[in-house]
Amino acid sequence: MDKQGFTTSIVHGDRVAGTEHGGVRQPIHTSVQYGFERVEDLIGVFQGTKKGGFNYARQGTPTTAALERKITQLEEGAGSICFSTGMGAITATFLTLLRAGDHLVSSKYVFGNTNSLFGTLKTLGVDVTVVDACDVEQVKSAIRPNTRMVFVETIANPGTQIPDLQGIGEVCRERGLAYVVDNTITSPALFKPKAVGASLVINSLTKTIAGHGAALGGAVTDTGLFDWSAYPNIADDYRKSPAKDQGLLQIRKKGLRDMGASLSSEQAHSIAMGTETLALRVKQSSANALALAQFLEGHDAIGRVFYPGLKSHPQYEIAQALFKGASWLLSFELLNAERMIEVVNALKLPIKATGLADTRTLIIPVAPTIFFEAGPETRRAMGISDGMLRLSAGIEDIDDLIADFEQALKLAV
Ligand SMILES: *Cc1c(COP(=O)(O)O)cnc(C)c1O
């Protein structure tokens, strides 16, 4: 059969891969233990010679394996491993592929908890340099002989900065560095980091991929582009496997089996349901975000609007060239920050909540919440003003959202 489209292949994925009783979805396998008639098979699962076998749910179940196949399919990768959260996936990737004495270069515009994790890496002897990755020259000049990895996010939250994804990919290829791209905000529905040479792709499944705000999960996908045989930190045990498998094998054994941030079958099932509507949802939520961004940009009560789908955005051209849409994430500044509380309370549809990529629109003032701990100086350095609001557009009807903002913003003009 010809290569199928994104949604076609996902909604038929379980059935085609094979399920019991003709079920069209992979069931929720709750077993922790997996028993065998012949002890040779149990031994084979332990030694990796019996393919597709399971022995203990911390290392995966048929339900999590089915989700891993789907994520691999969505990212057009070579393989994926699922975790209980996005942070679980990121932590496992860093801790299994970096060692004391290594150096990591990262975009300075990353998810707050990832930034906090860099602090932990430093205490373990891994040096981290953060740069403005919108400028590939800054990435280049931060690279040292002991640099192993470059980390970026496709669209940063809340400022919506987009790194020079293509340029950094070329630098990593030339220097043999692992290029790790967090694709959470865009998701494979809008962008596949493999296209810019990513080695590994991270997705917080909690966000765009599940989309319903009712399950936590994370994944790391190997794009198949990186030469693991040349990567110094692969343990001898895993060198025996084909080079293409070594990276994920080490992440699965050390990062999933030993560290234990395993995804449950129940959550994997719930996330898998989300994958079926991923493209449909992202199309609607991105269209809503664009319409809201355009409306807000023309409004007297609003200062800057940060949205990569607007011509005023510094990386508008990159978003146009690489992404199928500019995503559901947008931030904007209320000129009169003193009216913030009143305005946000006057909104009837957006839910005043943290979190991202729900079917419902969510809104949060940035300075007093997610960037409160950072303090006023860091906020100033990051361009986060007191009147900044972050919005995660849902899939509601756009007229309802615009009408709601119209009435609430009257309080701020
Ligand atoms: C939320 C988020 C994460 C962490 O995901 P969790 O599933 O909440 O652990 C990582 N990266 C980005 C860009 C995120 O938005």
Side-chain angles (χ1 to χ4, degrees):
M1 206 187 301
D2 286 343
K3 187 168 167 282
Q4 290 177 332
F6 191 86
T7 298
T8 309
S9 66
I10 281 302
V11 296
H12 291 282
D14 284 334
R15 190 175 60 84
V16 170
T19 54
E20 299 96 331
H21 315 295
V24 296
R25 285 204 182 85
Q26 185 70 38
I28 303 172
H29 287 268
T30 56
S31 211
V32 172
Q33 264 72 249
Y34 290 83
F36 300 87
E37 288 300 320
R38 296 159 7 109
V39 73
E40 297 94 305
D41 289 338
L42 174 60
I43 293 168
V45 170
F46 265 83
Q47 297 186 359
T49 50
K50 186 176 161 58
K51 294 292 168 205
F54 299 90
N55 66 349
Y56 191 66
R58 179 165 14 83
Q59 297 180 60
T61 71
T63 318
T64 62
L67 180 61
E68 287 172 351
R69 278 198 300 275
K70 287 197 176 85
I71 305 302
T72 302
Q73 200 177 326
L74 292 174
E75 290 288 1
E76 294 179 14
S80 301
I81 304 173
C82 286
F83 292 85
S84 58
T85 63
M87 286 317 301
I90 295 174
T91 303
T93 302
F94 288 159
L95 291 188
T96 59
L97 295 178
L98 298 169
R99 292 183 182 170
D102 285 348
H103 178 236
L104 167 75
V105 177
S106 171
S107 161
K108 67 175 172 180
Y109 305 115
V110 294
F111 184 58
N113 302 157
T114 302
N115 192 53
S116 169
L117 178 61
F118 291 156
T120 306
L121 289 182
K122 288 177 192 167
T123 67
L124 298 173
V126 175
D127 222 350
V128 182
T129 305
V130 299
V131 297
D132 183 347
C134 301
D135 176 8
V136 68
E137 293 307 320
Q138 290 201 26
V139 174
K140 254 190 209 164
S141 40
I143 293 170
R144 307 177 193 159
N146 60 338
T147 304
R148 298 273 171 259
M149 186 183 280
V150 176
F151 179 84
V152 298
E153 294 178 3
T154 52
I155 301 181
N157 150 30
T160 72
Q161 297 91 347
I162 301 173
D164 183 349
L165 291 161
Q166 193 105 44
I168 298 168
E170 280 158 27
V171 170
C172 288
R173 197 183 50 227
E174 281 162 19
R175 315 266 180 118
L177 303 175
Y179 184 21
V180 182
V181 179
D182 183 334
N183 196 27
T184 297
I185 307 296
T186 26
S187 91
L190 295 178
F191 176 59
K192 295 179 184 72
K194 186 180 180 179
V196 294
S199 319
L200 296 172
V201 181
I202 306 271
N203 278 287
S204 163
L205 305 175
T206 315
K207 312 285 175 56
T208 324
I209 290 183
H212 39 52
L216 286 160
V220 52
T221 301
D222 188 332
T223 60
L225 298 178
F226 190 68
D227 178 13
W228 293 105
S229 69
Y231 193 75
N233 295 348
I234 301 292
D236 290 344
D237 278 350
Y238 310 135
R239 285 283 185 222
K240 293 172 199 141
S241 293
K244 65 178 178 47
D245 299 336
Q246 292 173 7
L248 276 196
L249 185 61
Q250 180 149 310
I251 298 174
R252 186 180 291 282
K253 296 290 187 183
K254 301 286 179 191
L256 186 67
R257 183 196 63 187
D258 297 0
M259 294 176 193
S262 311
L263 183 66
S264 72
S265 288
E266 286 87 346
Q267 300 282 280
H269 174 76
S270 174
I271 293 163
M273 301 274 275
T275 63
E276 299 185 359
T277 55
L278 172 61
L280 296 174
R281 282 183 284 106
V282 172
K283 199 171 168 194
Q284 174 83 3
S285 57
S286 297
N288 282 354
L290 177 61
L292 275 171
Q294 286 166 339
F295 165 78
L296 292 166
E297 200 173 40
H299 199 286
D300 289 345
I302 303 297
R304 291 181 297 172
V305 179
F306 305 90
Y307 186 67
L310 293 176
K311 288 210 173 80
S312 56
H313 191 280
Q315 290 93 37
Y316 171 78
E317 300 294 340
I318 296 185
Q320 290 291 310
L322 296 182
F323 304 159
K324 279 193 186 154
S327 100
W328 39 260
L329 175 69
L330 102 106
S331 296
F332 56 96
E333 292 176 337
L334 209 56
L335 285 172
N336 188 349
E338 273 146 39
R339 289 287 169 83
M340 165 115 81
I341 303 287
E342 263 176 280
V343 169
V344 178
N345 278 334
L347 287 167
K348 297 186 182 84
L349 279 177
I351 300 168
K352 296 168 265 299
T354 186
L356 299 163
D358 201 294
T359 43
R360 302 147 191 87
T361 298
L362 311 175
I363 193 162
I364 191 165
V366 176
T369 60
I370 48 177
F371 275 86
F372 182 67
E373 222 178 273
E377 263 166 52
T378 306
R379 287 201 294 270
R380 235 189 326 274
M382 292 194 70
I384 291 164
S385 67
D386 290 346
M388 191 171 187
L389 290 160
R390 180 188 78 189
L391 187 120
S392 167
I395 60 169
E396 297 95 338
D397 298 290
I398 187 61
D399 291 349
D400 294 332
L401 285 171
I402 295 212
D404 196 20
F405 273 92
E406 240 162 12
Q407 63 82 23
L409 285 174
K410 285 198 181 119
L411 300 171
V413 241

